[in-house]
Amino acid sequence: MPETEPRRPTPEGLTIRPEDTRDHAAVRDLVARAFVEEPTVADLVSLLRADSAAEAGHSYVAEIGGEVVGHVMMTRAWVDALPRLVRVLVLSPLSVAPEWQSRGIGGALVEFALAEASGGDHPLVFLEGSPLYYTRFGFERASRLGFVAPSRRIPDPAFQVVTLPAYEDWMTGALVYPDVFWRLDAVGLRGEQLADDEAALGE
């Protein structure tokens, strides 16, 4: 098995830009269709906006021919480092319309979001996701850098981080999610889902 999935070329005419208020309805529909078996994800996006947990300027849409076909959001969080709390970003969720999946759009959104974040003062971006997919973007196991997951229900290989130019070695500790994730029980996995995911990750 390869260490990462191969990169895919993006569709012709794909553009990525910051999300604005006119996109909200289209984004909610997109997220609902992308996560049809997880209906709370669409609610998560809306509540993060309302709660101001989504960092201003860190929510992006992918368009083809004026149609929104993908979306990614960066959410504020904190690392509980010994000297002080450190403001960081969590990449969640990443959504691509079902009819446009496996076309490189998700990868293009991740790369765009990380490039934008690298120009700011956030030192780290965390996520919960597949190492097979995300290591190509520079993500690695967060535990290897001394970070502690916000829940025991996050399999260690899935708890990932990428360091940005503002990162310093002392910025390590437990990741603290904003309240919205907990209200929707959108942290980690539960029961059989957790066991299945750990087995798939070889843990």
Side-chain angles (χ1 to χ4, degrees), residues 33-116:
R33 292 192 297 117
F35 290 92
V36 67
E37 296 182 1
E38 301 175 67
T40 59
V41 179
D43 293 332
L44 177 66
V45 171
S46 298
L47 286 174
L48 284 171
R49 287 199 200 100
D51 194 64
S52 299
E55 283 287 301
H58 286 285
S59 187
Y60 308 101
V61 295
E63 281 187 323
I64 296 177
E67 176 189 0
V68 175
V69 297
H71 170 257
V72 67
M73 176 179 279
M74 295 277 207
T75 301
R76 72 156 188 258
W78 303 266
V79 164
D80 187 16
L82 284 175
R84 60 178 173 82
L85 286 174
V86 180
R87 277 179 60 134
V88 299
L89 295 170
V90 173
L91 194 154
S92 177
L94 171 66
S95 312
V96 177
E99 63 272 22
W100 287 99
Q101 291 177 6
S102 302
R103 303 281 296 277
I105 295 171
L109 279 164
V110 172
E111 289 178 334
F112 187 92
L114 290 179
E116 293 294 302

Side-chain angles (χ1 to χ4, degrees), residues 177-191:
Y177 276 156
D179 175 65
V180 174
F181 282 92
W182 301 103
R183 277 190 272 148
L184 290 182
D185 196 11
V187 181
L189 306 167
R190 289 199 180 275

Side-chain angles (χ1 to χ4, degrees), residues 191-203:
E192 293 181 0
Q193 185 184 17
L194 174 58
D196 291 345
D197 197 69
E198 287 180 326
L201 293 169
E203 295 296 292

Side-chain angles (χ1 to χ4, degrees), residues 124 140-147 161 163 167 169 171-173:
L124 300 153
E140 60 182 307
R141 285 197 193 198
S143 61
R144 290 175 178 164
L145 293 180
F147 297 105
V161 67
T163 59
Y167 169 71
D169 289 343
M171 297 175 179
T172 188

